[in-house]
Amino acid sequence: MRRSSSKKPGQAGSAAPANPSAADLLRTASSKATSKELERIDGLFSAYANGSSGLIDPEGIESLCADLEVDHTDVRILMLAWKMQAERQGYFTLDEWRRGLKSLRADTISKLKKALPELEKEVKRQPNFADFYAYAFRYCLTEEKQKSIDIESICELLDLVLGNQFRAQVDYFIEYLKAQNDYKVINMDQWTGFLRFCNEISFPDFSNYDPELAWPLVLDNFVDWMQAKQG
Amino acid sequence: MSFDQDLEFIEMGVKKLKRQLEGDPEAIVTMVDKMSLYTKVYNLCTQRGSPVSPRELYDKYKELIIEYIMSTVLPSLQEKCDEEILIQLVEMWGIHKKMVHKLFLYFQYLDHGYVSRNSLPPLHEVGLTCFHDLVFKEFKDKVRDAIISMIAQQREGKPFDGDSIKSVLDIFVQHGIEIGFEEAMLKEAAIYYSNKASSLVRKFSYREYMLKANECLQREKTGVSCYLNASTEAALLEVVRNEFLSLFAGHYLEREKSRFLTLLAHENAEELSRMFRPFSKDAIWSHMAEPLSNIFKNHVHMEAIALARDTAMNGQEFIQKAIKLHEKCLKYINECFQEHDRFRQALAYVFHWLCNTAVGGRQPLELLASFCDDLLKKDCGKRLSDKAIEETFEKAVKLLPYVYAKDHFLKLYRENLARRLLSESANDDRERKILVKIKQQIGNWFQHPMKRMVDDITSTRENQLSFRDYIDRNSSIRPGIDFAVTVLSQGLWPDFKLADLDLPPEMEKCKEVFGEYYQWKNKDRKLTWIPSAGTCNVVGRFEPKTMELIMTPVQAAALLLFNSTNRLSYSEIMTQLNMTEDNVVGLLYSLSCAKHKILIKEPAMKTISPTDYFEFNSKFTDKMASIKIPPPPVAKSKKATEGVNKDCRWTIDASIVRIMKSQKVMAQKELVKECVKELGHMFKPELKMIKKRIEGLMARYFLERDSQDPELLRYLP
């Protein structure tokens, strides 16, 4: 292997959106939050954290979800993780927690709950969504040096992240992925390619799809498969 | 002086000038005249309260010019026609220009002072414009008709003045005046030649018609070259050509086409070359090249299809017939069709099809590889002379450029070459000559690695001599068996099956001696022994008669075990030789179940099983005194294909990395195009395959996609 760097490809920089809206600006400006707020945020952290590890572990996240009245498989939890730029799936560190809640200006559970709809809207705005989409992939890479995700998990992730926006494309693509044998895993390039595909390509006729362009091969095969199905 | 007087003074001066220009000997404009006129104009312009305003002067100037034109120029042109009008026009124009120039000298001050300040057209322009409007415009149609009738007369053979035509045309072009000359001329030429062609068609045969048509073309070309510019000339020749060809298509084409087909079918090369002989390459006949080359293509294609479908033929015959067909077509192209491109393309089309379409389940390239191998094998030398072999080869390799998967052919050829080189009768000189012929056809990349294989054999021979020397000088280390070692460079030769085994002590000694010698001679090289290759001459003392057996060292090792005992079991043999199971099976099969049964197997079935027993066959005999034992079987053709596919992938990878390394950043579409171009001489990589390799290289961090533009790829150093 030529490369020994363990840098994950395509890792984004900071969490702040590239074109902040007025509201975001206001938020970050006043995120020099008061010390009272910081105290409360830290307090909230210890309420859910595991005493010995000093992190919020999966159990803690479950009870957090229960308190927020959100299912722990809900996409909003993933969005929250994105806001925190959490590194490891299933765990929140103190820094990450502070980062997320500070920028959401939430220092109590009820404030956090109220912040969720606003967070959803924020994520859906470009260029946040592309960033979130890429983040979602990286978040699922649990092993050190892991670069791709198995088909089963990818299908779940696709449904979770894109299901609302691109229902048809996601359903058919999932069907294709389960039916084919060429690919057992999906990598980041193919993952990001799919979002671009949903955004740019007319569905389900694929009239503007050109396999000679730089679409990942898996999408070329997907289009062939769809066209064969449509007869 | 008053207004009128001033003007009259000027008029007189101008009149005198006119007369001088027309050649009146009495009218001489002196220096004084010139100066006084100039001064007059100057004064009129600058004097305050001058009776004549500059504007009036300007108008007067114009009036004078017009008057001159009306009185002198126009009448002179009025009655003339044809040549005369052209000559006269040129002359009048010359005079006019002179006069305008001279007048300008007098009225100069007007130009400087008045005209430019009031953005009026300068004086010389006024002069020219008047001539334009009054003369050129008036007469342009007449001029045009004159020129056209002159050209028509020229065709009839009347004497011709090209220069005046050229002068007049030049004038018109210079001043941007459209006289519709080209259009009218082309129209007239079309009518003329249409009539001419019709008259020819009624009287003459195809060949004579073509000759006459060519004559007309040539005549037109020389005729108009002196006065027409290049593009008009080309347009004219095109018109002439079209007129002749349009009739030709109607009257002659069908007849000629069927005649051509008949001649082809009867293989009448003589008549075919006569069909085209009178014409040079770029004469009209090349227009016929398209329909005829199509007929040729279809005809040859039919023959090729018949050849491919003939299931009664074996591979050798197929190649021979393909070569014959190719040679026949080449002969036509070179001798009859004047090596015209369209016919070459037709041939290429058919042979691309023939050389890549499977025949009886096998690819022609495989058949070609076998054909070459047969030609070069030992016993062929008994049937054909060296010269004949080379000639046949020369013709055979001409088919190589048509084969798409040349790298596959390379693999097969290399295997055959290895076998030939390692056999007793390797003729490395001849192999080298053949490789040169291959290089001429498809380039160096193919033959270079194989040439090095041949070099290996040559250097082995030289090595042998020095090894003999070495043994002779050190008698103590003589191994007791007469032996020779062929040393091959690793990586060049096809992979050998490395059957590892314990050799008998006699052979081990040989290995040792040579090993020492080689180490002494080449200190940093390492030898790996391949006992499954090579030959061993074993003397077998059978009851009927003693015979010489030729076999591989591995087989010899097995047989030597029977020197100490008559009968051995499978497992005993395996243990004593220290070989793996699959190697032992093939080995024992070749000695007990194949053509010559040196060992008797118990039970006598044709499969080897671990419970078998083997006995020395003392009763074995053959009518020959020396026989060759076939080596253990090995499945090779599948490996060749697999190898090819793997190589394919790596070759594409290497090509992609090479291109990206030099370009640093490139659009994916461009990269694919470059890659296909680079590898085109070996094989045609598929788009999907290239895409897959790109994705693989991305996963291995050789390349990355640009974050802004997904079409752009970047090389990662």
Side-chain angles (χ1 to χ4, degrees), chain A residues 2-3 7 9 147 189-190 196 210-217 220-221 224, chain B residues 668-669 672 687-688 691-692 695 698-702 705 710-711 715-717:
Chain A
R2 268 197 186 193
R3 316 288 299 178
K7 177 174 175 200
K147 285 189 228 91
D189 182 59
Q190 291 158 325
R196 201 162 59 91
D210 180 4
E212 286 192 16
L213 293 176
W215 296 106
L217 197 53
D220 291 348
N221 294 342
D224 286 343
Chain B
Q668 179 158 322
K669 220 172 178 173
V672 170
L687 169 66
K688 284 211 166 170
K691 250 192 171 179
K692 195 158 186 196
E695 290 184 2
M698 286 202 303
R700 279 141 59 198
Y701 294 117
F702 279 82
R705 243 193 250 288
E711 289 296 323
Y715 179 72
L716 294 173

mmCIF file of all heavy atoms in Angstrom, chain A residues 2-3 7 9 147 189-190 196 210-217 220-221 224, chain B residues 668-669 672 687-688 691-692 695 698-702 705 710-711 715-717:
data_model
loop_
_atom_site.group_PDB
_atom_site.id
_atom_site.type_symbol
_atom_site.label_atom_id
_atom_site.label_comp_id
_atom_site.label_asym_id
_atom_site.label_seq_id
_atom_site.Cartn_x
_atom_site.Cartn_y
_atom_site.Cartn_z
ATOM 1 N N ARG A 2 0.629 2.101 -0.933
ATOM 2 C CA ARG A 2 1.459 3.302 -1.037
ATOM 3 C C ARG A 2 1.211 4.293 0.102
ATOM 4 O O ARG A 2 2.119 4.897 0.616
ATOM 5 C CB ARG A 2 1.111 4.016 -2.332
ATOM 6 C CG ARG A 2 2.004 3.574 -3.443
ATOM 7 C CD ARG A 2 1.899 4.560 -4.525
ATOM 8 N NE ARG A 2 2.642 4.110 -5.694
ATOM 9 C CZ ARG A 2 2.922 4.872 -6.707
ATOM 10 N NH1 ARG A 2 2.522 6.108 -6.709
ATOM 11 N NH2 ARG A 2 3.587 4.426 -7.732
ATOM 12 N N ARG A 3 -0.046 4.487 0.353
ATOM 13 C CA ARG A 3 -0.417 5.568 1.263
ATOM 14 C C ARG A 3 -0.469 5.064 2.694
ATOM 15 O O ARG A 3 -1.108 4.081 2.965
ATOM 16 C CB ARG A 3 -1.771 6.144 0.881
ATOM 17 C CG ARG A 3 -1.923 6.349 -0.593
ATOM 18 C CD ARG A 3 -1.120 7.494 -1.116
ATOM 19 N NE ARG A 3 -1.519 8.742 -0.495
ATOM 20 C CZ ARG A 3 -0.934 9.912 -0.747
ATOM 21 N NH1 ARG A 3 0.046 9.962 -1.585
ATOM 22 N NH2 ARG A 3 -1.327 11.005 -0.170
ATOM 23 N N LYS A 7 -5.832 9.751 6.936
ATOM 24 C CA LYS A 7 -6.819 10.814 6.772
ATOM 25 C C LYS A 7 -7.995 10.260 5.981
ATOM 26 O O LYS A 7 -7.847 9.678 4.930
ATOM 27 C CB LYS A 7 -6.168 11.961 5.995
ATOM 28 C CG LYS A 7 -7.099 13.098 5.705
ATOM 29 C CD LYS A 7 -6.381 14.252 5.069
ATOM 30 C CE LYS A 7 -7.437 15.298 4.696
ATOM 31 N NZ LYS A 7 -7.013 16.204 3.714
ATOM 32 N N PRO A 9 -10.807 10.424 3.437
ATOM 33 C CA PRO A 9 -10.958 11.288 2.267
ATOM 34 C C PRO A 9 -12.179 12.180 2.371
ATOM 35 O O PRO A 9 -13.188 11.768 2.915
ATOM 36 C CB PRO A 9 -11.104 10.299 1.117
ATOM 37 C CG PRO A 9 -11.548 9.029 1.738
ATOM 38 C CD PRO A 9 -11.015 9.009 3.130
ATOM 39 N N LYS A 147 -13.125 2.373 5.114
ATOM 40 C CA LYS A 147 -13.389 3.355 4.067
ATOM 41 C C LYS A 147 -14.733 3.153 3.386
ATOM 42 O O LYS A 147 -15.166 4.000 2.622
ATOM 43 C CB LYS A 147 -12.298 3.285 2.992
ATOM 44 C CG LYS A 147 -10.998 3.908 3.435
ATOM 45 C CD LYS A 147 -10.035 4.004 2.274
ATOM 46 C CE LYS A 147 -8.677 3.481 2.642
ATOM 47 N NZ LYS A 147 -8.501 2.067 2.370
ATOM 48 N N ASP A 189 -16.989 8.033 -2.469
ATOM 49 C CA ASP A 189 -17.177 8.584 -3.804
ATOM 50 C C ASP A 189 -18.529 8.178 -4.379
ATOM 51 O O ASP A 189 -19.266 8.985 -4.935
ATOM 52 C CB ASP A 189 -16.041 8.103 -4.720
ATOM 53 C CG ASP A 189 -16.150 8.674 -6.101
ATOM 54 O OD1 ASP A 189 -16.143 9.921 -6.218
ATOM 55 O OD2 ASP A 189 -16.263 7.905 -7.065
ATOM 56 N N GLN A 190 -18.867 6.896 -4.204
ATOM 57 C CA GLN A 190 -20.148 6.419 -4.723
ATOM 58 C C GLN A 190 -21.301 7.061 -3.950
ATOM 59 O O GLN A 190 -22.329 7.421 -4.525
ATOM 60 C CB GLN A 190 -20.228 4.893 -4.595
ATOM 61 C CG GLN A 190 -19.268 4.193 -5.539
ATOM 62 C CD GLN A 190 -18.940 2.785 -5.097
ATOM 63 O OE1 GLN A 190 -18.841 2.504 -3.917
ATOM 64 N NE2 GLN A 190 -18.773 1.899 -6.061
ATOM 65 N N ARG A 196 -25.574 13.635 -5.910
ATOM 66 C CA ARG A 196 -25.493 14.455 -7.119
ATOM 67 C C ARG A 196 -26.459 13.913 -8.169
ATOM 68 O O ARG A 196 -27.138 14.662 -8.875
ATOM 69 C CB ARG A 196 -24.052 14.410 -7.639
ATOM 70 C CG ARG A 196 -23.674 15.535 -8.552
ATOM 71 C CD ARG A 196 -22.167 15.664 -8.651
ATOM 72 N NE ARG A 196 -21.501 14.469 -9.152
ATOM 73 C CZ ARG A 196 -21.235 14.230 -10.436
ATOM 74 N NH1 ARG A 196 -21.574 15.115 -11.340
ATOM 75 N NH2 ARG A 196 -20.625 13.125 -10.805
ATOM 76 N N ASP A 210 -25.478 10.634 -18.773
ATOM 77 C CA ASP A 210 -24.451 10.303 -19.766
ATOM 78 C C ASP A 210 -23.384 9.434 -19.103
ATOM 79 O O ASP A 210 -22.583 9.948 -18.310
ATOM 80 C CB ASP A 210 -23.825 11.594 -20.303
ATOM 81 C CG ASP A 210 -22.745 11.316 -21.338
ATOM 82 O OD1 ASP A 210 -22.541 10.135 -21.696
ATOM 83 O OD2 ASP A 210 -22.119 12.285 -21.796
ATOM 84 N N PRO A 211 -23.375 8.128 -19.409
ATOM 85 C CA PRO A 211 -22.408 7.252 -18.743
ATOM 86 C C PRO A 211 -20.962 7.594 -19.043
ATOM 87 O O PRO A 211 -20.060 7.126 -18.364
ATOM 88 C CB PRO A 211 -22.776 5.852 -19.273
ATOM 89 C CG PRO A 211 -23.557 6.100 -20.501
ATOM 90 C CD PRO A 211 -24.233 7.400 -20.347
ATOM 91 N N GLU A 212 -20.733 8.416 -20.085
ATOM 92 C CA GLU A 212 -19.346 8.763 -20.372
ATOM 93 C C GLU A 212 -18.816 9.800 -19.400
ATOM 94 O O GLU A 212 -17.613 10.019 -19.324
ATOM 95 C CB GLU A 212 -19.239 9.301 -21.798
ATOM 96 C CG GLU A 212 -19.353 8.202 -22.826
ATOM 97 C CD GLU A 212 -18.950 8.680 -24.200
ATOM 98 O OE1 GLU A 212 -18.304 9.749 -24.292
ATOM 99 O OE2 GLU A 212 -19.297 8.001 -25.181
ATOM 100 N N LEU A 213 -19.717 10.449 -18.656
ATOM 101 C CA LEU A 213 -19.261 11.414 -17.654
ATOM 102 C C LEU A 213 -18.811 10.670 -16.403
ATOM 103 O O LEU A 213 -18.900 9.451 -16.322
ATOM 104 C CB LEU A 213 -20.393 12.386 -17.321
ATOM 105 C CG LEU A 213 -20.799 13.309 -18.476
ATOM 106 C CD1 LEU A 213 -21.981 14.148 -18.064
ATOM 107 C CD2 LEU A 213 -19.638 14.190 -18.882
ATOM 108 N N ALA A 214 -18.359 11.447 -15.423
ATOM 109 C CA ALA A 214 -17.682 10.829 -14.279
ATOM 110 C C ALA A 214 -18.630 10.279 -13.230
ATOM 111 O O ALA A 214 -18.380 10.394 -12.051
ATOM 112 C CB ALA A 214 -16.743 11.851 -13.650
ATOM 113 N N TRP A 215 -19.730 9.674 -13.611
ATOM 114 C CA TRP A 215 -20.590 9.030 -12.622
ATOM 115 C C TRP A 215 -19.933 7.734 -12.186
ATOM 116 O O TRP A 215 -19.366 7.022 -12.996
ATOM 117 C CB TRP A 215 -21.962 8.703 -13.231
ATOM 118 C CG TRP A 215 -22.735 9.909 -13.643
ATOM 119 C CD1 TRP A 215 -22.956 10.346 -14.909
ATOM 120 C CD2 TRP A 215 -23.375 10.849 -12.787
ATOM 121 N NE1 TRP A 215 -23.705 11.487 -14.906
ATOM 122 C CE2 TRP A 215 -23.988 11.826 -13.607
ATOM 123 C CE3 TRP A 215 -23.506 10.979 -11.414
ATOM 124 C CZ2 TRP A 215 -24.708 12.907 -13.104
ATOM 125 C CZ3 TRP A 215 -24.223 12.048 -10.904
ATOM 126 C CH2 TRP A 215 -24.815 12.989 -11.748
ATOM 127 N N PRO A 216 -20.010 7.423 -10.877
ATOM 128 C CA PRO A 216 -19.451 6.137 -10.437
ATOM 129 C C PRO A 216 -20.102 4.987 -11.191
ATOM 130 O O PRO A 216 -21.279 5.044 -11.536
ATOM 131 C CB PRO A 216 -19.815 6.081 -8.951
ATOM 132 C CG PRO A 216 -20.039 7.480 -8.545
ATOM 133 C CD PRO A 216 -20.539 8.196 -9.760
ATOM 134 N N LEU A 217 -19.293 3.949 -11.432
ATOM 135 C CA LEU A 217 -19.742 2.815 -12.228
ATOM 136 C C LEU A 217 -21.012 2.186 -11.665
ATOM 137 O O LEU A 217 -21.879 1.749 -12.424
ATOM 138 C CB LEU A 217 -18.622 1.771 -12.276
ATOM 139 C CG LEU A 217 -18.737 0.717 -13.373
ATOM 140 C CD1 LEU A 217 -18.910 1.343 -14.728
ATOM 141 C CD2 LEU A 217 -17.515 -0.170 -13.356
ATOM 142 N N ASP A 220 -23.881 3.822 -13.196
ATOM 143 C CA ASP A 220 -24.078 3.387 -14.586
ATOM 144 C C ASP A 220 -24.855 2.091 -14.600
ATOM 145 O O ASP A 220 -25.829 1.927 -15.348
ATOM 146 C CB ASP A 220 -22.735 3.119 -15.279
ATOM 147 C CG ASP A 220 -21.937 4.384 -15.523
ATOM 148 O OD1 ASP A 220 -22.515 5.478 -15.371
ATOM 149 O OD2 ASP A 220 -20.745 4.260 -15.853
ATOM 150 N N ASN A 221 -24.419 1.144 -13.733
ATOM 151 C CA ASN A 221 -25.073 -0.162 -13.698
ATOM 152 C C ASN A 221 -26.518 -0.038 -13.210
ATOM 153 O O ASN A 221 -27.410 -0.726 -13.701
ATOM 154 C CB ASN A 221 -24.303 -1.116 -12.786
ATOM 155 C CG ASN A 221 -22.920 -1.425 -13.345
ATOM 156 O OD1 ASN A 221 -22.671 -1.212 -14.523
ATOM 157 N ND2 ASN A 221 -22.035 -1.922 -12.508
ATOM 158 N N ASP A 224 -28.602 1.179 -16.082
ATOM 159 C CA ASP A 224 -28.833 0.066 -17.018
ATOM 160 C C ASP A 224 -29.924 -0.849 -16.490
ATOM 161 O O ASP A 224 -30.828 -1.251 -17.224
ATOM 162 C CB ASP A 224 -27.545 -0.768 -17.179
ATOM 163 C CG ASP A 224 -26.519 -0.031 -18.029
ATOM 164 O OD1 ASP A 224 -26.911 0.922 -18.732
ATOM 165 O OD2 ASP A 224 -25.348 -0.428 -17.989
ATOM 166 N N GLN B 668 -12.465 13.695 -16.571
ATOM 167 C CA GLN B 668 -12.526 12.228 -16.710
ATOM 168 C C GLN B 668 -12.729 11.818 -18.164
ATOM 169 O O GLN B 668 -12.126 10.865 -18.635
ATOM 170 C CB GLN B 668 -13.662 11.667 -15.857
ATOM 171 C CG GLN B 668 -13.768 10.171 -16.005
ATOM 172 C CD GLN B 668 -14.462 9.487 -14.845
ATOM 173 O OE1 GLN B 668 -14.293 9.844 -13.692
ATOM 174 N NE2 GLN B 668 -15.256 8.482 -15.154
ATOM 175 N N LYS B 669 -13.551 12.573 -18.869
ATOM 176 C CA LYS B 669 -13.825 12.215 -20.252
ATOM 177 C C LYS B 669 -12.542 12.253 -21.078
ATOM 178 O O LYS B 669 -12.287 11.369 -21.900
ATOM 179 C CB LYS B 669 -14.837 13.213 -20.827
ATOM 180 C CG LYS B 669 -15.872 12.568 -21.708
ATOM 181 C CD LYS B 669 -16.954 13.553 -22.105
ATOM 182 C CE LYS B 669 -17.956 12.859 -23.031
ATOM 183 N NZ LYS B 669 -19.098 13.644 -23.336
ATOM 184 N N VAL B 672 -10.281 9.279 -20.282
ATOM 185 C CA VAL B 672 -10.712 8.050 -20.944
ATOM 186 C C VAL B 672 -10.267 8.046 -22.404
ATOM 187 O O VAL B 672 -9.738 7.065 -22.920
ATOM 188 C CB VAL B 672 -12.248 7.895 -20.860
ATOM 189 C CG1 VAL B 672 -12.722 6.772 -21.739
ATOM 190 C CG2 VAL B 672 -12.672 7.660 -19.432
ATOM 191 N N LEU B 687 -15.069 1.163 -21.913
ATOM 192 C CA LEU B 687 -15.309 2.303 -21.028
ATOM 193 C C LEU B 687 -15.542 1.848 -19.594
ATOM 194 O O LEU B 687 -14.986 2.398 -18.632
ATOM 195 C CB LEU B 687 -16.524 3.088 -21.533
ATOM 196 C CG LEU B 687 -17.048 4.154 -20.571
ATOM 197 C CD1 LEU B 687 -16.042 5.266 -20.386
ATOM 198 C CD2 LEU B 687 -18.354 4.728 -21.086
ATOM 199 N N LYS B 688 -16.352 0.806 -19.423
ATOM 200 C CA LYS B 688 -16.687 0.359 -18.066
ATOM 201 C C LYS B 688 -15.432 -0.126 -17.343
ATOM 202 O O LYS B 688 -15.247 0.133 -16.157
ATOM 203 C CB LYS B 688 -17.714 -0.778 -18.125
ATOM 204 C CG LYS B 688 -19.089 -0.293 -18.428
ATOM 205 C CD LYS B 688 -20.178 -1.148 -17.784
ATOM 206 C CE LYS B 688 -21.512 -0.422 -17.827
ATOM 207 N NZ LYS B 688 -22.638 -1.214 -17.447
ATOM 208 N N LYS B 691 -13.403 2.865 -16.273
ATOM 209 C CA LYS B 691 -14.046 3.516 -15.124
ATOM 210 C C LYS B 691 -13.740 2.736 -13.851
ATOM 211 O O LYS B 691 -13.422 3.315 -12.812
ATOM 212 C CB LYS B 691 -15.559 3.532 -15.358
ATOM 213 C CG LYS B 691 -16.110 4.894 -15.624
ATOM 214 C CD LYS B 691 -17.619 4.878 -15.547
ATOM 215 C CE LYS B 691 -18.148 6.288 -15.588
ATOM 216 N NZ LYS B 691 -19.585 6.335 -15.546
ATOM 217 N N LYS B 692 -13.833 1.421 -13.974
ATOM 218 C CA LYS B 692 -13.590 0.579 -12.796
ATOM 219 C C LYS B 692 -12.160 0.761 -12.303
ATOM 220 O O LYS B 692 -11.905 0.898 -11.110
ATOM 221 C CB LYS B 692 -13.830 -0.875 -13.182
ATOM 222 C CG LYS B 692 -13.970 -1.779 -12.004
ATOM 223 C CD LYS B 692 -14.702 -3.043 -12.340
ATOM 224 C CE LYS B 692 -14.926 -3.836 -11.050
ATOM 225 N NZ LYS B 692 -15.284 -5.188 -11.299
ATOM 226 N N GLU B 695 -11.790 4.010 -10.498
ATOM 227 C CA GLU B 695 -12.334 3.945 -9.139
ATOM 228 C C GLU B 695 -11.385 3.182 -8.224
ATOM 229 O O GLU B 695 -11.194 3.555 -7.058
ATOM 230 C CB GLU B 695 -13.727 3.314 -9.160
ATOM 231 C CG GLU B 695 -14.740 4.234 -9.799
ATOM 232 C CD GLU B 695 -16.165 3.720 -9.771
ATOM 233 O OE1 GLU B 695 -16.402 2.638 -9.216
ATOM 234 O OE2 GLU B 695 -17.043 4.422 -10.295
ATOM 235 N N MET B 698 -8.621 5.417 -7.275
ATOM 236 C CA MET B 698 -9.065 6.403 -6.296
ATOM 237 C C MET B 698 -9.054 5.790 -4.903
ATOM 238 O O MET B 698 -8.636 6.422 -3.939
ATOM 239 C CB MET B 698 -10.474 6.910 -6.636
ATOM 240 C CG MET B 698 -10.485 7.858 -7.813
ATOM 241 S SD MET B 698 -11.923 8.943 -7.862
ATOM 242 C CE MET B 698 -13.227 7.772 -7.868
ATOM 243 N N ALA B 699 -9.507 4.532 -4.833
ATOM 244 C CA ALA B 699 -9.529 3.872 -3.528
ATOM 245 C C ALA B 699 -8.120 3.653 -2.993
ATOM 246 O O ALA B 699 -7.912 3.600 -1.789
ATOM 247 C CB ALA B 699 -10.249 2.531 -3.651
ATOM 248 N N ARG B 700 -7.139 3.533 -3.914
ATOM 249 C CA ARG B 700 -5.748 3.342 -3.471
ATOM 250 C C ARG B 700 -4.992 4.650 -3.394
ATOM 251 O O ARG B 700 -3.781 4.676 -3.354
ATOM 252 C CB ARG B 700 -5.032 2.385 -4.442
ATOM 253 C CG ARG B 700 -5.348 0.923 -4.131
ATOM 254 C CD ARG B 700 -5.521 0.075 -5.357
ATOM 255 N NE ARG B 700 -4.365 0.037 -6.218
ATOM 256 C CZ ARG B 700 -4.410 -0.347 -7.489
ATOM 257 N NH1 ARG B 700 -5.550 -0.693 -8.025
ATOM 258 N NH2 ARG B 700 -3.321 -0.364 -8.222
ATOM 259 N N TYR B 701 -5.717 5.768 -3.431
ATOM 260 C CA TYR B 701 -5.129 7.090 -3.234
ATOM 261 C C TYR B 701 -4.146 7.506 -4.310
ATOM 262 O O TYR B 701 -3.246 8.299 -4.049
ATOM 263 C CB TYR B 701 -4.444 7.200 -1.872
ATOM 264 C CG TYR B 701 -5.412 7.119 -0.716
ATOM 265 C CD1 TYR B 701 -5.345 6.092 0.209
ATOM 266 C CD2 TYR B 701 -6.427 8.056 -0.584
ATOM 267 C CE1 TYR B 701 -6.238 6.012 1.247
ATOM 268 C CE2 TYR B 701 -7.333 7.976 0.452
ATOM 269 C CZ TYR B 701 -7.229 6.945 1.372
ATOM 270 O OH TYR B 701 -8.111 6.853 2.395
ATOM 271 N N PHE B 702 -4.316 6.994 -5.514
ATOM 272 C CA PHE B 702 -3.503 7.512 -6.610
ATOM 273 C C PHE B 702 -4.140 8.759 -7.184
ATOM 274 O O PHE B 702 -3.479 9.667 -7.660
ATOM 275 C CB PHE B 702 -3.400 6.470 -7.735
ATOM 276 C CG PHE B 702 -2.384 5.417 -7.479
ATOM 277 C CD1 PHE B 702 -2.674 4.336 -6.679
ATOM 278 C CD2 PHE B 702 -1.124 5.509 -8.032
ATOM 279 C CE1 PHE B 702 -1.733 3.358 -6.442
ATOM 280 C CE2 PHE B 702 -0.180 4.525 -7.798
ATOM 281 C CZ PHE B 702 -0.487 3.450 -7.005
ATOM 282 N N ARG B 705 -11.140 12.803 -6.766
ATOM 283 C CA ARG B 705 -12.067 13.648 -7.499
ATOM 284 C C ARG B 705 -12.026 15.031 -6.896
ATOM 285 O O ARG B 705 -11.932 15.188 -5.693
ATOM 286 C CB ARG B 705 -13.491 13.088 -7.325
ATOM 287 C CG ARG B 705 -14.098 12.650 -8.624
ATOM 288 C CD ARG B 705 -15.570 12.419 -8.450
ATOM 289 N NE ARG B 705 -15.908 11.022 -8.524
ATOM 290 C CZ ARG B 705 -15.892 10.301 -9.621
ATOM 291 N NH1 ARG B 705 -15.551 10.837 -10.751
ATOM 292 N NH2 ARG B 705 -16.214 9.030 -9.599
ATOM 293 N N PRO B 710 -17.025 17.481 -10.038
ATOM 294 C CA PRO B 710 -16.878 16.024 -10.004
ATOM 295 C C PRO B 710 -16.319 15.417 -11.283
ATOM 296 O O PRO B 710 -15.914 14.275 -11.291
ATOM 297 C CB PRO B 710 -18.300 15.520 -9.730
ATOM 298 C CG PRO B 710 -19.186 16.643 -10.085
ATOM 299 C CD PRO B 710 -18.426 17.903 -9.929
ATOM 300 N N GLU B 711 -16.301 16.183 -12.367
ATOM 301 C CA GLU B 711 -15.757 15.624 -13.604
ATOM 302 C C GLU B 711 -14.238 15.645 -13.614
ATOM 303 O O GLU B 711 -13.597 14.997 -14.428
ATOM 304 C CB GLU B 711 -16.252 16.435 -14.821
ATOM 305 C CG GLU B 711 -17.712 16.247 -15.130
ATOM 306 C CD GLU B 711 -18.045 14.826 -15.545
ATOM 307 O OE1 GLU B 711 -17.240 14.194 -16.228
ATOM 308 O OE2 GLU B 711 -19.110 14.335 -15.150
ATOM 309 N N TYR B 715 -4.240 14.112 -9.737
ATOM 310 C CA TYR B 715 -3.222 13.122 -9.409
ATOM 311 C C TYR B 715 -2.677 13.426 -8.019
ATOM 312 O O TYR B 715 -2.356 14.568 -7.713
ATOM 313 C CB TYR B 715 -2.108 13.199 -10.443
ATOM 314 C CG TYR B 715 -0.976 12.234 -10.192
ATOM 315 C CD1 TYR B 715 -1.139 10.876 -10.392
ATOM 316 C CD2 TYR B 715 0.261 12.689 -9.748
ATOM 317 C CE1 TYR B 715 -0.106 10.000 -10.171
ATOM 318 C CE2 TYR B 715 1.293 11.812 -9.526
ATOM 319 C CZ TYR B 715 1.108 10.463 -9.734
ATOM 320 O OH TYR B 715 2.129 9.603 -9.502
ATOM 321 N N LEU B 716 -2.584 12.401 -7.183
ATOM 322 C CA LEU B 716 -2.073 12.609 -5.830
ATOM 323 C C LEU B 716 -0.621 12.149 -5.772
ATOM 324 O O LEU B 716 -0.350 10.974 -5.967
ATOM 325 C CB LEU B 716 -2.913 11.808 -4.823
ATOM 326 C CG LEU B 716 -4.351 12.271 -4.694
ATOM 327 C CD1 LEU B 716 -5.136 11.310 -3.820
ATOM 328 C CD2 LEU B 716 -4.395 13.664 -4.083
ATOM 329 N N PRO B 717 0.304 13.034 -5.551
ATOM 330 C CA PRO B 717 1.715 12.646 -5.558
ATOM 331 C C PRO B 717 2.077 11.795 -4.350
ATOM 332 O O PRO B 717 1.394 11.832 -3.348
ATOM 333 C CB PRO B 717 2.440 13.992 -5.522
ATOM 334 C CG PRO B 717 1.472 14.942 -4.934
ATOM 335 C CD PRO B 717 0.097 14.462 -5.266
#
